[in-house]
Amino acid sequence: MIKGLFETHINVSNYEASAAFYERLPGLIPLHEDAARKSKFYWIGRPGEAMLGIRENYPSPLVQRQHFAFRVELHELESARHMLHERGIVATNFFGESDAPLSVFPFMPAVSIYFEDPDGHSIELLAMLPDEPRPELPIVSWPEWEKECGRAD
């Protein structure tokens, strides 16, 4: 019955600072702000498909690092990386390298970019690759994957 993930909420230390950060991300559309509850909600992509909520100090003032990934189109991944850089957001591959090729997870397969919000939450932009999964391979660089798939020399 489950068809996908509709919403996720994260605890932040300052919802206004976090809102300013999330509003710099391409594809997040402000939906609703509840200042009394120190929370703000965003559509992810098209309205009605998925939602992200941020809420200050809820359920606790202890903000624990969380991880979540936004799906992006493969042809938009490099432009998203460039856009993040232009907006002052440091993006890395899986290994934390900002000037190295992006990493591919062969078991899916998918390629992604990582960065952090003001509270240190790990955010990923992930694009599925059009290839068959190769779970026997370790995480490899995108150029290595392309070579493995016969698309590069």
Side-chain angles (χ1 to χ4, degrees), residues 68-130:
F68 53 96
F70 294 114
R71 184 182 64 218
V72 298
E73 297 295 329
L74 183 60
H75 70 274
E76 296 175 331
L77 196 58
E78 283 296 342
S79 62
R81 185 181 199 185
H82 181 73
M83 187 179 298
L84 291 170
H85 177 74
E86 285 180 336
R87 295 175 182 188
I89 299 170
V90 176
T92 70
N93 63 16
F94 176 75
F95 300 104
E97 303 162 324
S98 59
D99 293 329
L102 298 178
S103 304
V104 170
F105 303 96
F107 72 93
M108 298 172 78
V111 60
S112 64
I113 298 169
Y114 288 84
F115 54 98
E116 293 184 349
D117 79 356
D119 287 301
H121 294 299
S122 169
I123 305 168
E124 182 178 6
L125 301 182
L126 181 139
M128 294 298 293
L129 290 161

Side-chain angles (χ1 to χ4, degrees), residues 12 39 42 87 150:
V12 298
S39 58
Y42 300 88
R87 295 175 182 188

Side-chain angles (χ1 to χ4, degrees), residues 56-68:
E56 186 174 318
N57 297 325
Y58 183 83
S60 135
L62 176 63
V63 176
Q64 294 180 321
R65 184 178 195 265
Q66 296 174 288
H67 170 77
F68 53 96

